[in-house]
Amino acid sequence: MNTLTILALSWQHILIVAIILLLLFGGKKIPELMRGMGSGIKEFKDAIKEEDKPGSKTTDNNSSNNNTASH
């Protein structure tokens, strides 16, 4: 079986999920949840960009922490 056909959602499925989320969390809580998820994604992307930089501080700190931990 093709995995993409299993994961494909029609507009009816999306509507049902949206209604269930609205009932569970309420209209006031959903924007707050989306804002939190958006900021989490932004922090994740920033961390990936920071790690991709050559000679970044995170790799320098990790190597120095590994040296002190082994002693």
Side-chain angles (χ1 to χ4, degrees):
M1 286 187 351
N2 191 354
T3 306
L4 293 177
T5 55
I6 294 172
L7 297 177
L9 296 175
S10 67
W11 66 272
Q12 293 99 348
H13 292 121
I14 295 172
L15 181 65
I16 290 171
V17 169
I19 290 172
I20 290 171
L21 287 174
L22 186 61
L23 290 174
L24 287 175
F25 296 110
K28 293 182 180 182
K29 192 72 172 173
I30 291 177
E32 183 179 322
L33 291 171
M34 294 298 116
R35 223 175 285 120
M37 190 167 58
S39 64
I41 291 171
K42 182 180 178 186
E43 289 178 21
F44 180 74
K45 286 181 180 180
D46 290 343
I48 289 175
K49 286 179 184 176
E50 182 68 29
E51 187 134 332
D52 286 343
K53 290 181 183 177
S56 64
K57 291 182 179 180
T58 57
T59 56
D60 294 340
N61 288 340
N62 289 339
S63 63
S64 65
N65 287 341
N66 290 340
N67 291 338
T68 58
S70 62
H71 289 110

